[in-house]
Amino acid sequence: MKVLITLLLFLPSLSMQTPVSLTQQSDYKLVWSDEFNKDGAPNPDNWTYEKGFVRNHELQWYSTENARCKGGKLIIEAKKDTSKNPIYDPTSSDWKKARPKIGYTSASINTSGKHQWQYGRFEMRARFDVDPGLWPAFWTLGVNGEWPSCGEIDIMEYYRGKVLANIACGTLARYKARWFSNTKALEEFKDKDWAQKFHTWKMDWDEQAISLYVDDQLLNSVKLSELENASKNPVNPFKQPHYILLNLALGGDNGGDPKGTPFPRTFEIDYVRVYQKEPNAIKQ
């Protein structure tokens, strides 16, 4: 999920048939999961909420009311909403304050301050609507540093008819990211019912590389040696713990125009799981 300003973009080749670093499921042990089996609000031991207008000039107001667990799924729901913007200021040029109405509500939850991990296999099984203007994501941010120098991994991101697998680190300019990004159009999956089905998104992240998959199909793989922040004393933001975020955004800098989209629309998550290799497990 691109935070603030999207700038320097690097597109690695996907001609590779295997990832830079591939580990076997048998090497891993489950260290954390949320199966969303209890109806009601997301487990407060695992998740916290973002609230209000947050990033990327997006259209939705993030609310605690738009995420619920039901029938073994976490459902993040985007809705139209004509409520007044509680921070509206007609004299302000701030995009968050200049809107008299909220327009839409949705939810963004994360494990910040509750659970974070360095290295491992991160998995999500999910289904999401693909109508214009929708921008669901399953991603991570590093616990230390200002964005993008904290490091960002978009294990799953979707907008404008394509899925994206992105990794970002910092540049010499504040708030300007260097992106290692690949996209895949929905038509390339050659399944007219793709959006109606659940899919498994996975990241394998170790001391050597980060590799991103959907349904075991490699989307992106980058060596950690390429991911240092640009600075006089380079730091690698992927050699520190990261926390998980799940959200359904609308519009904004990348999401497109949702005006013709019927609401409500949903992002359904069956589970989120984190596995680590026991000898090298680093869990905070």
Side-chain angles (χ1 to χ4, degrees):
M1 183 68 175
K2 295 175 177 57
V3 179
L4 298 177
I5 303 172
T6 302
L7 287 165
L8 305 177
L9 178 66
F10 173 73
L11 296 175
S13 171
L14 270 184
S15 60
M16 66 184 81
Q17 297 301 309
T18 58
V20 175
S21 176
L22 180 63
T23 50
Q24 300 300 316
Q25 181 72 49
S26 59
D27 294 334
Y28 286 109
K29 302 295 183 184
L30 183 68
V31 296
W32 178 86
S33 73
D34 199 327
E35 308 293 326
F36 307 113
N37 287 330
K38 184 178 179 180
D39 285 2
N43 186 345
D45 293 335
N46 291 336
W47 305 99
T48 189
Y49 295 87
E50 292 189 286
K51 298 177 183 178
F53 297 126
V54 178
R55 63 178 73 84
N56 298 324
H57 306 98
E58 292 161 3
L59 300 178
Q60 79 288 335
W61 176 275
Y62 281 136
S63 166
T64 60
E65 303 300 316
N66 293 61
R68 68 185 188 279
C69 300
K70 184 177 181 180
K73 308 287 191 300
L74 168 66
I75 301 170
I76 297 177
E77 189 171 46
K79 303 177 181 179
K80 284 187 174 181
D81 193 305
T82 59
S83 301
K84 293 180 179 179
N85 178 0
I87 60 171
Y88 175 58
D89 179 354
T91 66
S92 177
S93 60
D94 183 334
W95 69 274
K96 299 177 183 179
K97 297 179 180 180
R99 303 174 180 182
K101 302 281 187 177
I102 285 177
Y104 301 88
T105 59
S106 188
S108 177
I109 63 174
N110 63 73
T111 67
S112 178
K114 298 177 182 290
H115 305 284
Q116 49 271 336
W117 306 267
Q118 182 174 337
Y119 309 137
R121 171 169 288 169
F122 293 54
E123 279 190 356
M124 174 190 72
R125 183 174 182 265
R127 173 174 63 188
F128 48 85
D129 290 322
V130 296
D131 304 79
L134 302 183
W135 188 355
F138 166 45
W139 51 305
T140 77
L141 290 172
V143 298
N144 295 311
E146 185 178 70
W147 187 91
S149 295
C150 63
E152 175 179 339
I153 308 168
D154 300 322
I155 306 170
M156 184 285 291
E157 186 174 23
Y158 168 85
Y159 54 76
R160 297 177 185 262
K162 59 184 182 291
V163 297
L164 302 93
N166 311 312
I167 305 167
C169 54
T171 65
L172 293 175
R174 191 181 188 190
Y175 301 141
K176 295 181 181 180
R178 183 185 184 198
W179 288 98
F180 295 75
S181 181
N182 271 307
T183 67
K184 189 175 181 70
L186 293 186
E187 303 86 70
E188 295 181 51
F189 291 106
K190 301 185 185 306
D191 181 355
K192 62 181 178 61
D193 297 321
W194 191 92
Q196 282 72 55
K197 299 175 182 177
F198 280 85
H199 301 278
T200 302
W201 306 84
K202 179 177 69 177
M203 170 174 67
D204 280 342
W205 167 30
D206 61 20
E207 298 91 337
Q208 303 302 317
I210 297 170
S211 299
L212 307 175
Y213 306 80
V214 59
D215 296 331
D216 290 324
Q217 179 180 353
L218 179 66
L219 297 177
N220 199 353
S221 190
V222 183
K223 294 179 181 178
L224 256 64
S225 59
E226 300 179 49
L227 293 170
E228 288 187 341
N229 292 323
S231 66
K232 292 181 179 178
N233 299 299
V235 173
N236 195 311
F238 305 101
K239 294 183 177 180
Q240 66 164 333
H242 278 225
Y243 63 91
I244 291 172
L245 303 94
L246 297 167
N247 69 285
L248 176 53
L250 300 169
D253 296 338
N254 294 309
D257 187 353
K259 286 182 180 177
T261 292
F263 285 88
R265 300 285 87 182
T266 58
F267 175 19
E268 299 175 77
I269 300 98
D270 185 18
Y271 61 76
V272 178
R273 298 170 182 167
V274 179
Y275 303 83
Q276 289 186 320
K277 299 173 74 173
E278 285 190 312
N280 299 314
I282 301 175
K283 184 177 184 295
Q284 301 295 324

